[in-house]
């Protein structure tokens, strides 16, 4: 497995250079890893060159092994896979994020791990995709996957950087829900109503059929607001909302 580390360094470096569309956070993580690799190489070369002839050779960690330790210790989840899709390496963060034992990841098909994304195809073009996975019987997790690939020593390698975006996706979904639903009743608002009416009219025109719009009003609701106050009227609407949504 150690023979893949030089390839990994080259691919990660090219990932930083060749993917301008990748989000700044991904670039920062990749740049930090590359800086660590270059620093380790410089220190190793400096120690090797600075040894006096009379000084006993000090133990030096091989560059490949050091690179392996750095990638394995990264907080970012990393997968490295071959042209046929077989996973060559995964670090601990990737195993935890995917909820799969590392021994089961290495040698597996990356397409199975990142379904429905097509990692090998996307990596050749470079890009970021989102997917959802369920860790065993746990909650569903939203993942962001940055994919890239390049030739290294005449061999194509793909790199996948994974990030948990579950919280971000939940916030985005809530913002979208708030934009299309009434904050008091939870019912669809005028924006969503106009959108649905437009779809219904378009479908009716294409099919040659008719469509209908049902209007619902609350009798004497104004009297409730005028006599009991708007807060009481709001509570009444909050009771009606769930009843309208019920099947």
């Amino acid at each position: 497995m150690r023979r893949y580390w030089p390839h990994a360094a080259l691919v990660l470096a090219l990932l930083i250079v060749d993917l301008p569309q990748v989000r700044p956070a991904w670039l920062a993580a990749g740049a930090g890893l590359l800086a660590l690799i270059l620093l380790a190489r410089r220190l190793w070369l400096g120690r090797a060159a600075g040894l006096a002839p009379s000084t006993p050779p000090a133990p030096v960690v091989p560059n490949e092994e050091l690179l392996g330790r750095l990638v394995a210790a990264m907080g970012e989840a990393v997968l490295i896979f071959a042209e046929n899709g077989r996973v060559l390496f995964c670090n601990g963060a990737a195993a935890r994020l995917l909820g799969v034992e590392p021994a089961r990841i290495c040698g597996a098909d990356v397409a199975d791990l990142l379904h429905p994304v097509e990692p090998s195809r996307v990596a050749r073009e470079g890009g970021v995709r989102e997917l959802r996975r369920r860790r065993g019987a746990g909650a569903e997790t939203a993942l962001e996957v940055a994919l890239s690939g390049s030739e290294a020593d005449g061999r194509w390698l793909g790199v996948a950087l994974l990030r948990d975006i579950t919280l971000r996706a939940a916030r985005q979904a809530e913002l979208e829900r708030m934009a299309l639903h009434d904050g008091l009743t939870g019912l669809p608002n005028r924006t969503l109503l106009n959108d649905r009416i437009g779809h219904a009219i378009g479908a009716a025109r294409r099919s040659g059929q008719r469509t209908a719009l049902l209007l619902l009003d609350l009798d004497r609701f104004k009297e409730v607001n005028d006599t009991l106050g708007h807060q009481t009227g709001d509570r009444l609407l909050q009771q009606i909302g769930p009843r309208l949504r019920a099947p």
Side-chain angles (χ1 to χ4, degrees), residues 129-151:
R129 299 290 187 272
E130 294 184 7
L131 60 93
R132 293 183 177 272
R133 281 186 59 92
R134 189 176 299 278
R135 302 176 188 172
E140 189 176 64
T141 302
L143 300 179
E144 182 179 71
V145 185
L147 291 151
S148 181
S150 185
E151 294 284 340

Side-chain angles (χ1 to χ4, degrees), residues 230-244:
H230 290 280
Q231 291 184 345
T232 301
D234 288 347
R235 288 196 294 270
L236 176 60
L237 291 176
Q238 288 174 332
Q239 293 294 322
I240 293 175
R243 299 184 185 186
L244 291 177

Side-chain angles (χ1 to χ4, degrees), residues 164-217:
D164 188 341
I165 59 167
T166 303
L167 183 58
R168 190 183 80 189
R171 289 174 177 170
Q172 181 65 28
E174 178 61 16
L175 289 175
E176 293 175 358
R177 188 197 69 79
M178 292 173 62
L180 299 176
H181 293 78
D182 178 67
L184 180 65
T185 64
L187 295 173
N189 60 15
R190 188 185 301 271
T191 301
L192 186 56
L193 172 64
N194 291 336
D195 179 74
R196 294 295 183 267
I197 290 177
H199 283 292
I201 293 175
R205 287 174 177 172
R206 289 190 297 271
S207 63
Q209 298 178 349
R210 294 183 178 182
T211 187
L213 177 64
L214 176 64
L215 299 178
L216 179 64
D217 193 13

Side-chain angles (χ1 to χ4, degrees), residues 8-69:
L10 177 59
V11 171
L12 289 175
L14 290 174
L15 172 65
I16 298 171
V17 176
D18 293 340
L19 283 183
Q21 73 273 28
V22 176
R23 293 180 173 84
W26 288 109
L27 293 176
L33 174 60
L34 184 58
L36 286 173
I37 295 171
L38 295 176
L39 177 60
R41 181 177 181 274
R42 183 175 180 181
L43 291 174
W44 181 79
L45 292 176
R47 291 182 61 185
L51 289 176
S54 59
T55 305
V60 178
V61 178
N63 213 22
E64 295 180 5
E65 184 175 346
L66 179 58
L67 174 59
R69 292 179 182 179

Side-chain angles (χ1 to χ4, degrees), residues 1 26 86-87 107 114 125 175 186 200 209:
M1 187 62 65
W26 288 109
R86 184 171 62 89
V87 176
L114 303 181
E125 303 170 356
L175 289 175
Q209 298 178 349

